[in-house]
Amino acid sequence: MTIGACTHNKVNGSSLLLTILLFLSMNCLFAQKLEIRGKVGTNTSFVSPDPNGSNASASLAFEFGGDIMYGKRLYALSGITYQRFRTKIEYTQPANFTQQYSANLICIPMIGGMRILRPSSESKINGRIFGGVGFYYLDNLKMQNAPTSPGQIKSDDFNSAFITGNVGAGIDLFYFFADLSFEKGLTNIFKYTDYYGRSKYDALHLTI
């Protein structure tokens, strides 16, 4: 009987400790601020530097997606964004030949940031600064004009995945927000760098 009573008490003690740890963990979790944000916006994307023997120009496109933001003054953010990518490349050889490319981009951002003002229940406006990386997947790339010479970029010359770094600033006003960010490619957008050069995907984003 004594052994059985000791075993029963030990189980109850372990259960109590587990319950306390779980309770403290939940308190720590909900003490932080968790937000789910939908977003729409526009971007100007371009290939930089220009591919060898050509000039690339920027194009305006749209984007939308959703993010999860976790934290108070210091926060982390991740989510998923669908973007359109368009660019026009004019070749110097042969002269007056232009190709236009369009594609779907799926981005998973990994962002860290800081609110400028300490958040409180009374504050309805705040500013933010942030930076991080974006992991991109390129899909459904289309060309308007087919290549006419070996030196021109084909659809399968693009990498299907690449990485970018970004910095930006934003403002929160009641339940609304606006973010402006600049993105710089960290990995090459073309497969054959010796042939086309080490061009990257760069973009300027405005989302609300």
Side-chain angles (χ1 to χ4, degrees):
M1 294 297 293
T2 304
I3 295 176
C6 291
T7 303
H8 182 67
N9 289 337
K10 184 176 181 181
V11 172
N12 285 342
S14 299
S15 300
L16 180 60
L17 179 60
L18 182 61
T19 303
I20 292 172
L21 290 175
L22 181 60
F23 178 78
L24 292 175
S25 298
M26 295 299 289
N27 277 345
C28 290
L29 174 63
F30 289 104
Q32 298 297 318
K33 188 176 182 181
L34 182 67
E35 294 182 34
I36 299 177
R37 294 187 167 192
K39 62 183 179 183
V40 295
T42 184
N43 66 74
T44 301
S45 57
F46 45 95
V47 176
S48 176
D50 293 334
N52 293 338
S54 65
N55 297 311
S57 58
S59 297
L60 192 67
F62 68 91
E63 61 183 78
F64 64 89
D67 296 320
I68 296 177
M69 180 185 291
Y70 177 73
K72 288 187 176 180
R73 189 161 193 184
L74 297 177
Y75 68 87
L77 180 146
S78 187
I80 187 166
T81 305
Y82 170 87
Q83 302 176 20
R84 286 293 290 171
F85 165 65
R86 288 199 292 262
T87 189
K88 181 171 68 174
I89 297 180
E90 299 178 1
Y91 292 92
T92 55
Q93 296 294 331
N96 301 322
F97 182 80
T98 301
Q99 283 180 307
Q100 293 189 12
Y101 303 88
S102 64
N104 301 327
L105 291 178
I106 304 297
C107 177
I108 298 177
M110 302 292 288
I111 303 297
M114 183 182 73
R115 291 179 171 91
I116 296 174
L117 303 177
R118 187 177 299 277
S120 66
S121 58
E122 293 81 14
S123 62
K124 303 300 182 183
I125 185 171
N126 211 331
R128 291 175 286 105
I129 54 174
F130 55 85
V133 295
F135 300 92
Y136 276 89
Y137 173 72
L138 185 145
D139 184 43
N140 196 28
L141 181 67
K142 296 179 180 179
M143 294 186 306
Q144 187 177 32
N145 300 318
T148 59
S149 70
Q152 295 164 4
I153 300 167
K154 304 180 292 297
S155 59
D156 57 359
D157 292 334
F158 284 79
N159 281 315
S160 60
F162 53 90
I163 302 172
T164 63
N166 66 76
V167 294
I171 186 171
D172 298 328
L173 180 62
F174 293 92
Y175 298 104
F176 303 96
F177 73 94
D179 287 349
L180 180 65
S181 62
F182 175 71
E183 201 163 26
K184 179 66 179 176
L186 301 178
T187 60
N188 300 315
I189 197 170
F190 299 122
K191 296 177 182 177
Y192 310 109
T193 56
D194 292 339
Y195 202 64
Y196 299 122
R198 298 184 178 277
S199 300
K200 310 288 194 301
Y201 170 83
D202 298 343
L204 184 66
H205 301 267
L206 175 63
T207 56
I208 56 175

